[in-house]
Amino acid sequence: MFQENCLKGQKGLITGGSSGIGLEIARVLIAHGAELTITGRDTSKLAHAKSELGDVLTVAGDVRQADDVAQTVDAHMARFGQVDFLINNAAGNFLCPIEAMSENAFRSVMEIVAHGTFLFSKAVFPHMKKRGYGRIINTGATYAWGQASYVAHSGAAKAAVLNLTRSMAVEWGHYGILVNMIAPGPIDQTEGMKRLMADPKKTDMLLNMMPVPRMGKGSEIGLAALFLIHPLSSYITGIALPVDGGMSLITPGLIPPGFGPKA
Ligand code: COA
């Protein structure tokens, strides 16, 4: 853990903050003194998150809708008066071969992930620019760099997020706004893992191949986010940080990790 209250006075927004990785990030940031607005489409999930997290502002809305995004940022500003950080975490994903993927399926995921990140970043930007301070963390994926077979919609969207992260970092750095991406690996107990790694046998095989052979914890993503929004992390921008137990280093190779002779 970082020093208690190291985020005291920091006020920020987490999209998709009512469940999964978003909720875990919220827990970590609140434990270190941050004050939060969390968003999500499902009001019952938001109410449940609020009952766990305590004094957070919850605003229901869809990251794909510019009006919802504007209302959320307005509500945050009315309550807190400043936005120090934004965590673009809302995502949508499901396993589907390209040949079976409908246009609407592709559009839905692209719009949640890429469009949502664009809309929320643009909505907080004027407030951050005015104060000359801001941190934006985009949630990417390690497959943003390579291929994303069977989640091609998500791969295309996360590649867009990676590029958008770098473009925003370059355009907004001189306003004091730092923009970075976190690329989570397989994180336990998340909607994503339920959807993408439903087969325990295949999951075990994959985990055994990883340099750190286990699922990640949501709190480990939360601590990476905390590091990047910590006021002392003031010279890091435009990076994409894998928090994945080294999963992105696995290439089939001759002898995959975990399959070599024991010492
Ligand atoms: N396989 C194939 N197509 C699918 C699908 C699946 N498992 N799930 C959804 N779709 C298609 C739908 O059929 C629809 O296409 P169609 O109109 O051509 O039939 C399209 O995707 C949109 O689905 P819909 O449920 O109407 O959209 P939505 O906006 O309500 O939901 C999703 C968005 C599809 C991304 C949904 O999975 C979601 O809400 N996900 C959020 C949670 C999540 O994914 N978490 C994991 C993050 S890693």
Side-chain angles (χ1 to χ4, degrees):
M1 286 288 168
F2 288 65
Q3 198 170 22
E4 206 184 343
N5 277 334
C6 63
L7 294 182
K8 197 170 164 46
Q10 297 269 313
K11 297 144 207 282
L13 267 147
I14 305 180
T15 69
S18 60
S19 62
I21 292 178
L23 180 59
E24 292 296 329
I25 295 173
R27 282 200 185 103
V28 169
L29 301 189
I30 287 172
H32 290 83
E35 293 167 77
L36 296 180
T37 297
I38 60 170
T39 76
R41 276 186 290 165
D42 184 330
T43 47
S44 61
K45 276 192 191 169
L46 280 172
H48 186 256
K50 191 177 170 71
S51 70
E52 272 195 38
L53 297 172
D55 190 22
V56 288
L57 177 64
T58 58
V59 187
D62 189 331
V63 296
R64 292 170 282 191
Q65 303 298 331
D67 288 349
D68 287 10
V69 173
Q71 275 169 24
T72 304
V73 174
D74 286 351
H76 173 90
M77 291 304 291
R79 161 91 181 256
F80 296 112
Q82 69 193 58
V83 56
D84 298 283
F85 60 86
L86 163 70
I87 301 186
N88 283 309
N89 164 78
N93 204 354
F94 51 84
L95 285 173
C96 185
I98 295 168
E99 64 186 273
M101 191 179 287
S102 73
E103 182 188 353
N104 195 31
F106 184 77
R107 183 189 298 116
S108 298
V109 173
M110 283 298 286
E111 285 190 350
I112 295 170
V113 175
H115 213 82
T117 297
F118 172 78
L119 285 178
F120 252 101
S121 302
K122 275 213 73 174
V124 299
F125 170 71
H127 304 293
M128 291 181 169
K129 181 183 173 189
K130 202 165 159 193
R131 284 179 63 229
Y133 183 91
R135 300 287 159 80
I136 298 176
I137 313 264
N138 298 324
T139 307
T142 48
Y143 52 71
W145 287 276
Q147 55 81 28
S149 40
Y150 307 105
V151 287
H153 43 10
S154 175
K158 297 293 190 182
V161 167
L162 172 63
N163 202 273
L164 200 51
T165 299
R166 293 171 176 155
S167 301
M168 292 193 293
V170 171
E171 292 194 23
W172 296 350
H174 63 110
Y175 297 127
I177 303 168
L178 308 182
V179 189
N180 293 295
M181 182 177 108
I182 290 175
I187 303 300
D188 207 8
Q189 304 293 326
T190 58
E191 179 67 22
M193 282 305 97
K194 275 183 225 151
R195 285 167 178 244
L196 307 181
M197 289 189 162
D199 181 336
K201 259 195 186 155
K202 285 186 191 159
T203 303
D204 277 354
M205 232 171 81
L206 183 70
L207 292 178
N208 279 329
M209 288 170 68
M210 286 171 56
V212 180
R214 66 167 173 83
M215 290 267 194
K217 296 179 229 156
S219 60
E220 289 170 316
I221 304 298
L223 287 165
L226 168 53
F227 165 67
L228 288 170
I229 63 170
H230 193 291
L232 293 178
S233 297
S234 47
Y235 205 48
I236 301 173
T237 197
I239 66 157
L241 177 68
V243 184
D244 69 342
M247 188 190 205
S248 50
L249 299 175
I250 303 173
T251 54
L254 180 61
I255 302 170
F259 287 77
K262 297 273 174 274

